[in-house]
């Protein structure tokens, strides 16, 4: 039985999103009474978001599903400074051109998952560079500076942890929390935005923005976070042994994206179905009861649902068909990653590394010695073997049971 009356907080609670809320009772009452505008910020530090960001996008999706208005803030301004949260070193500063390119690459992910229209609950996508780059330095110091004490800023984890480790924190990064707080002030004024959401590492920044609204305009606003999503093995969501699990197709093929979810740990399946899909809770409860080999049915459902959400239905269907042909039929599905090696061919170690199956030539040699590498079903052990397909031929390369690719000329 939920402790909340509003559809918004009930939905977030049932789906496992809630971690901290600044004033649960007041936010619950407000969400029950009127449409709330809420936002999450995303700094465009790469041309694609990854699945670690997907949890925050889902917060906006749940907000919209519950009848409220989501705002996506593209941090074109804040990314020029860099969020020190969870960082051991200063971020590389990016040019305006690079930021614009990254924002263009990221927009598509939101357009697939959120509804953008002119209705009362239609999503908005706004770049905070629109106001941050127009701020005069003296103006910012006079209007906003008095509401921040150095004592309090030094107490935040993003600052404190860096200083405790005696690692440098640049003055520009130190200003990040002021800029994010100012975002909340602008959004509250211009869009009547009352709620900021994010991962739990953003709690301090969110509270700063709320206090700035209260001190300058006397406006009550709210903050809500979800715990940073980790897998049962302790690894952080968004990463795999081969690197980030990107949302964009041009950064990671749909088959690899689908396969990541299909390989979910048994212990995480139910939790991820709640967080990252719209499946009814009773259906998720049924899937959670599956055991042994049957749990793979639930994993395929998870992979299909998330891939359809992020990449579209056709991508999910193609990835599933490729997986079934590859694993069940022993065939080579058309959706597998492909590497062209040219007429001269390529040594097997280089092929494994270029495909991302191994991180180095040394690891490739170890996998070959272990008998983990197969080419068209035959075990390869010789690190000097040259893979040289005939013209028009596709060879299926496998590392273990879960990594497969096609090698062509």
């Amino acid at each position: 039985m939920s402790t909340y009356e509003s559809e918004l907080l009930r939905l977030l609670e049932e789906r496992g999103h809630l971690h901290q809320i600044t004033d649960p009772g007041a936010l619950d009452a407000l969400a029950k009474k009127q449409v709330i505008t809420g936002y999450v910020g995303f700094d465009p530090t790469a041309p694609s978001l990854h699945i670690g960001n997907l949890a925050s996008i889902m917060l906006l999706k749940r907000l919209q599903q519950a009848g409220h208005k989501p705002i996506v803030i593209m941090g074109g301004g804040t990314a020029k400074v860099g969020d020190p949260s969870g960082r051991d070193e200063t971020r590389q500063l990016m040019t305006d051109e690079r930021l614009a390119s990254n924002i263009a690459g990221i927009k598509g992910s939101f357009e697939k998952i959120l509804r953008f229209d002119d209705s009362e609950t239609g999503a908005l996508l706004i770049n905070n560079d629109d106001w941050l780059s127009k701020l005069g330095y003296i103006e910012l110091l006079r209007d906003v500076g008095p509401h921040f004490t150095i004592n309090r800023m030094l107490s935040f984890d993003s600052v404190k942890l860096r200083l405790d480790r005696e690692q440098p924190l640049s003055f520009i990064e130190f200003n990040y929390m002021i800029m994010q707080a100012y975002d909340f002030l602008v959004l509250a004024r211009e869009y009547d935005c009352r709620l900021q959401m994010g991962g739990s590492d953003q709690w301090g920044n969110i509270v700063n923005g709320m206090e700035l609204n209260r001190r300058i305009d006397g406006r009550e606003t709210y903050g809500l976070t979800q715990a940073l999503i980790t897998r049962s093995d302790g690894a952080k969501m968004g990463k795999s042994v081969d690197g980030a699990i990107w949302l964009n197709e041009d950064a990671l093929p749909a088959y690899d994206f689908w396969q990541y979810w299909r390989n979910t740990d048994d212990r995480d399946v139910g939790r991820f179905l709640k967080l990252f899909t719209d499946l009814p809770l009773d259906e998720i409860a049924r899937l959670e009861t599956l055991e042994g080999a049957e749990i793979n049915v639930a994993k395929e459902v998870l992979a299909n649902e998330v891939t359809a959400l992020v990449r579209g239905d056709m991508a999910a269907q193609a990835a599933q068909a490729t997986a079934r042909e590859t694993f069940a039929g022993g065939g080579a599905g058309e959706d597998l990653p492909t590497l062209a090696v040219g007429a001269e061919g390529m040594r097997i170690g280089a092929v494994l590394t270029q495909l991302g199956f191994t991180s180095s030539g040394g690891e490739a040699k170890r996998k070959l010695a272990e008998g983990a590498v197969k080419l068209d079903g035959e075990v390869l052990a010789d690190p000097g073997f040259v893979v040289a397909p005939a013209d028009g031929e596709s060879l299926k390369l496998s590392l273990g049971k879960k990594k497969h690719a096609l090698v062509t000329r």
Side-chain angles (χ1 to χ4, degrees):
M1 184 74 179
S2 175
T3 55
Y4 299 111
E5 295 185 7
S6 68
E7 185 179 352
L8 173 62
L9 293 190
R10 280 205 311 268
L11 180 62
L12 290 171
E13 182 182 48
E14 289 169 352
R15 290 278 171 177
H17 293 283
L18 287 186
H19 180 58
Q20 295 167 297
I21 310 177
T22 52
D23 188 341
L27 179 59
D28 192 34
L30 189 68
K32 187 179 177 185
K33 183 175 71 173
Q34 68 182 63
V35 173
I36 291 177
T37 299
Y39 86 99
V40 178
F42 300 83
D43 280 348
T45 54
S48 171
L49 298 174
H50 57 68
I51 60 171
N53 305 120
L54 183 58
S56 293
I57 302 176
M58 294 305 293
L59 284 175
L60 292 170
K61 183 175 175 64
R62 303 300 184 210
L63 184 74
Q64 192 169 52
Q65 286 175 326
H68 302 281
K69 187 177 188 69
I71 296 180
V72 177
I73 290 295
M74 285 281 95
T78 38
K80 293 178 181 178
V81 171
D83 184 0
S85 299
R87 304 283 299 184
D88 287 337
E89 57 189 23
T90 302
R91 289 184 188 270
Q92 291 290 105
L93 299 182
M94 288 184 287
T95 64
D96 287 351
E97 293 75 18
R98 174 79 181 277
L99 287 167
S101 175
N102 287 350
I103 288 171
I106 287 168
K107 278 184 177 179
S109 291
F110 297 105
E111 290 165 351
K112 287 186 177 74
I113 297 171
L114 302 174
R115 174 174 46 80
F116 288 85
D117 57 34
D118 295 330
S119 71
E120 188 178 21
T121 60
L124 298 175
L125 192 145
I126 305 170
N127 188 343
N128 66 10
D129 194 54
D130 292 347
W131 56 82
L132 291 177
S133 286
K134 294 172 185 173
L135 273 176
Y137 188 56
I138 301 299
E139 174 193 1
L140 181 68
L141 289 179
R142 284 176 60 90
D143 295 347
V144 178
H147 303 290
F148 287 82
T149 67
I150 295 296
N151 316 56
R152 180 165 172 76
M153 292 171 79
L154 288 172
S155 72
F156 283 104
D157 284 346
S158 59
V159 173
K160 190 170 180 292
L161 293 175
R162 185 87 71 84
L163 297 180
D164 286 347
R165 291 193 289 262
E166 297 184 359
Q167 289 157 337
L169 178 75
S170 68
F171 179 69
I172 190 172
E173 287 179 292
F174 194 56
N175 281 270
Y176 185 91
M177 64 182 75
I178 297 177
M179 295 172 69
Q180 186 169 328
Y182 189 75
D183 282 350
F184 204 174
L185 182 69
V186 171
L187 290 169
R189 287 174 171 177
E190 299 296 324
Y191 299 93
D192 192 27
C193 182
R194 305 289 295 275
L195 174 66
Q196 184 182 172
M197 303 182 291
S200 56
D201 61 336
Q202 294 299 311
W203 180 252
N205 289 330
I206 291 172
V207 170
N208 273 338
M210 292 172 53
E211 290 193 358
L212 192 63
N213 269 291
R214 182 174 54 81
R215 288 170 178 267
I216 293 181
D217 289 347
R219 183 185 288 106
E220 286 302 317
T221 53
Y222 304 92
L224 181 156
T225 66
Q226 64 184 356
L228 295 179
I229 311 298
T230 56
R231 306 194 307 245
S232 288
D233 61 7
K236 192 175 179 181
M237 280 292 285
K239 299 288 186 181
S240 77
V241 293
D242 301 322
I245 305 302
W246 301 106
L247 301 191
N248 287 14
E249 179 70 29
D250 57 2
L252 184 75
Y255 174 79
D256 291 339
F257 185 84
W258 187 94
Q259 196 63 41
Y260 175 87
W261 297 98
R262 170 60 181 78
N263 293 337
T264 295
D265 188 295
D266 293 3
R267 297 166 292 178
D268 292 327
V269 175
R271 183 164 59 102
F272 289 174
L273 282 167
K274 289 176 185 175
L275 286 169
F276 299 113
T277 80
D278 288 330
L279 280 183
L281 292 173
D282 56 354
E283 174 64 6
I284 293 173
R286 184 189 71 79
L287 291 169
E288 282 183 296
T289 64
L290 300 178
E291 295 179 350
E294 286 190 336
I295 192 67
N296 291 329
V297 173
K299 291 182 182 183
E300 280 207 14
V301 170
L302 174 65
N304 289 339
E305 292 289 326
V306 183
T307 305
L309 176 73
V310 174
R311 302 292 183 84
D313 290 333
M314 290 182 65
Q317 291 165 15
Q320 183 181 33
T322 293
R324 287 186 171 171
E325 186 176 350
T326 301
F327 296 113
E334 294 178 358
D335 206 34
L336 286 178
T338 301
L339 177 68
V341 296
E344 301 299 317
M346 187 182 293
R347 285 181 180 270
I348 183 61
V351 172
L352 290 167
T353 303
Q354 283 211 24
L355 284 165
F357 285 7
T358 55
S359 58
S360 66
E363 185 186 358
K365 284 184 179 180
R366 288 195 300 275
K367 295 298 183 184
L368 287 159
E370 292 168 5
V373 180
K374 289 184 180 180
L375 188 66
D376 270 3
E378 298 293 326
V379 175
L380 281 184
D382 178 10
F385 182 86
V386 175
V387 182
D391 193 20
E393 182 182 28
S394 294
L395 301 177
K396 180 184 168 187
L397 179 68
S398 301
L399 176 63
K401 294 181 178 179
K402 295 180 179 179
K403 294 183 178 180
H404 308 274
L406 299 179
V407 182
T408 65
R409 179 178 285 196

